[in-house]
Amino acid sequence: MEKHEGRDPAPQGTLTPALGAVPRQQSTAPSAADIYLEVQRSPAFQEVRRRYRRFVFPAALAFFLWYLAYVVAATAAPGLMARPVVGAVNVAMLAGLAQFATTFLLTWAYARHARLRRDRAALELRWDTQEMTRGARR
């Protein structure tokens, strides 16, 4: 058997006949990977991603800073956090409950933003991509 310097002796696009395989058909239609890359580079997809980033990055940063402020205040100012507000409820308990409230508020705001600013465009991209990949499989 001849040695071919690291290359497969079978022509590209086929499997060796000894394995009982048939040659692959050369297709002129783009592959699904090509279609997804094309969609990813499209202005419509970039707009959906831009809208996503414009909401998520500032919201995540704001929430992280709010959480960090709570932890720092609890550590650096225990007297302030222990100050009673109403009965046994102190500033720390109110701030902790506010953490939960802002979590729910942020979730609601994210869902609303997605529904109003991204979902329709993303759904159109999805349908377009599915149509293109259906054509590529035929």
Side-chain angles (χ1 to χ4, degrees):
M1 182 172 201
E2 292 181 36
K3 182 144 176 115
H4 290 282
E5 297 180 5
R7 285 188 273 166
D8 186 9
Q12 284 188 331
T14 63
L15 296 174
T16 57
L19 297 176
V22 295
R24 283 188 248 157
Q25 296 177 1
Q26 297 296 328
S27 173
T28 58
S31 69
D34 293 335
I35 291 169
Y36 284 110
L37 286 173
E38 179 184 334
V39 169
Q40 185 180 9
R41 292 180 188 120
S42 72
F45 182 84
Q46 295 303 319
E47 179 64 20
V48 169
R49 294 295 297 168
R50 185 184 65 78
R51 289 177 185 178
Y52 171 80
R53 281 189 229 106
R54 285 185 65 195
F55 179 85
V56 170
F57 289 150
L61 180 64
F63 188 79
F64 177 73
L65 291 175
W66 161 226
Y67 174 77
L68 190 63
Y70 174 78
V71 172
V72 168
T75 305
L80 170 69
M81 298 298 271
R83 183 171 293 153
V85 176
V86 176
V89 177
N90 60 21
V91 173
M93 293 174 89
L94 286 179
L97 290 173
Q99 290 282 319
F100 282 102
T102 54
T103 301
F104 290 112
L105 179 66
L106 186 59
T107 302
W108 170 81
Y110 175 81
R112 182 176 185 275
H113 181 269
R115 185 180 66 248
L116 295 176
R117 312 241 180 202
R118 295 190 325 265
D119 285 352
R120 184 166 302 158
L123 187 59
E124 288 174 11
L125 277 169
R126 178 181 174 196
W127 287 118
D128 292 346
T129 305
Q130 286 180 346
E131 287 298 316
M132 288 189 285
T133 55
R134 256 189 225 114
R137 282 186 260 165
R138 291 181 188 174

